Amino acid sequence: MSNLSVVKGSCLCRAVSISTTNMSNLVGACHCNMCRKWGGGAFLAVECGSDVSFEGEENIGVYQSSEWAERGFCQKCGSHLFYRLKQNNQYFMPVGLFDNSEGLIFEHQVFIDEKPEYYSFANETKNMTGAELFAQFAPTLEN
Ligand SMILES: [Zn+2]
Ligand SMILES: [Zn+2]
């Protein structure tokens, strides 16, 4: 589902730019309380594996949001840059950072049980609750 061409993106002020060779074309939404607190709404992200490089790294702030993950942001403009699983160094990047949205498919939604009632996406996607997500991907991270 991923390709080996380099995909580029940046934050709003362009102090941080991103390149990755491993971006999935499958977009996921996370409705968890933390993501909505972080970004004001659902977090729309693509998985980029561990091969992500940054220019302007000195402008990146990192918040330790849980024992197993951290969240990066641009210290100049506040754009969110990544959610990173520390254990296996997996990056989930906000899809809006990337300049080209061609070929992207909105494929799944997680923490559907934490999604508030006042919105829902019309796309047909695979949906998982937080418990289902933890059971499938990270049984040891159950909280
Ligand atoms: Zn910025
Ligand atoms: Zn989340």
Side-chain angles (χ1 to χ4, degrees), residues 43 45-49 81-85 90-94:
F43 178 42
V46 283
E47 197 169 347
C48 291
L81 299 172
F82 58 82
Y83 172 90
R84 188 178 81 86
L85 285 173
Q90 293 291 297
Y91 283 87
F92 296 82
M93 314 285 290

Side-chain angles (χ1 to χ4, degrees), residues 5-6 19 39 52 57 69 102 120 133:
S5 59
V6 178
S19 54
V52 178
E57 211 161 351
E102 220 171 287
S120 50
L133 181 70

Side-chain angles (χ1 to χ4, degrees), residues 10-18 54-63 71-82:
S10 72
C11 66
L12 183 59
C13 77
R14 301 192 175 271
V16 180
S17 50
I18 298 139
F54 298 97
E55 266 177 65
E57 211 161 351
E58 67 277 10
N59 299 307
I60 300 177
V62 176
Y63 173 65
R71 294 169 190 253
F73 56 94
C74 172
Q75 292 182 313
K76 294 207 163 147
C77 69
S79 297
H80 297 157
L81 299 172
F82 58 82

